[in-house]
Amino acid sequence: MKTYEHVYDILSKSPDFVTGESLAKSLGVSRTAIWKAIQTLQEQGIDITSVRKKGYYLEKGDILLPQDISKQLNIPVYFNPDSNSTQLDAKHGMEKNNPTPALYLASSQKAAKGRFDRHFFAIPQGGIYMSIHLKPNCYFADLPPYTMMAAAAIVKAIQRLTGINTEIKWVNDIYLNNKKMAGILTEAISSIESGRITDVIIGIGLNFSISDFPKELANKATSLFTSEKPSITRNQLISEIWKLFLTIPTSDLIKVYKEKSLVLDKQVTFEQAGKTYTGVAKEIGDKGQLLVLTDDGQEKWLSAGEVSLTSW
């Protein structure tokens, strides 16, 4: 770990001010090095109060610690401070034959995209942007429902760590208080020769601690924490999400997904083959399909790749 990471670690665990002298002594560095570390943290958006003779106090904010997350998950974690997209970072890692599973992290993204190439709001501090690269090497019919699994892991991790109840809007969005808080993008790469899915990249963008949104998103988007100081760090949530994803049986994650559905038994509108339908969402299949009973009495199973809900 770098000096500023060590300083952050100490400040984040202290309930009171910590003097520069005690920081320097515990880390075996100079007071100048401590001052530079504080500057670095503040440049990264960490809110630190400095009071003469009292020292430093961390008010709000955190930094990503890929080494700590890697130890928690026992998989490689790659951090790119200048990322355009963690999905692209994962694809570059795949080209380099990086080991899998592997997690790719960024403090922000310059070209964040969601499903159907839609723009995803990302800021320099307060968001979680990450992608995991897996090698399932199986036929499409046998592919685990990765989007469902990731969504379930997110809501379960948040509930475990904070007690906050979030819900899942079919098929890939996490909602809090009827506003979008996170989105998931799953991409698969197949081999024409074998007909197998060789690689899967699951990307997650999550609003962790954001108090202000652009005017056009203010009524649609929210954050896990808004004005209050987060009760957990991004590192804790990232580790918990992927720990659950990698260790909990698929059937249990599917059960959580269904239990946390925001759309079941509610009216939805969707488009299919150029025609608009309205009906009631009745069931979610184990592969993520949504059964809708339309107003004209039809039962339609919707595939996430074919249609998208326009209202619920």
Side-chain angles (χ1 to χ4, degrees), residues 192-207:
I192 295 176
E193 289 80 6
S194 67
R196 290 174 173 266
I197 303 296
T198 57
D199 300 84
V200 167
I201 300 172
I202 308 164
I204 294 174
L206 188 152
N207 300 328

Side-chain angles (χ1 to χ4, degrees), residues 103-123:
L103 182 63
Y104 295 81
L105 293 178
S107 52
S108 185
Q109 296 184 118
K110 299 174 183 176
K113 294 289 179 68
R115 290 179 68 227
F116 308 120
D117 213 31
R118 294 172 182 147
H119 173 72
F120 189 92
F121 174 66
I123 65 170

Side-chain angles (χ1 to χ4, degrees), residues 147-164:
T147 300
M148 295 179 76
M149 294 165 63
I154 292 170
V155 298
K156 193 171 181 65
I158 291 172
Q159 178 69 36
R160 275 192 180 184
L161 295 177
T162 70
I164 296 172

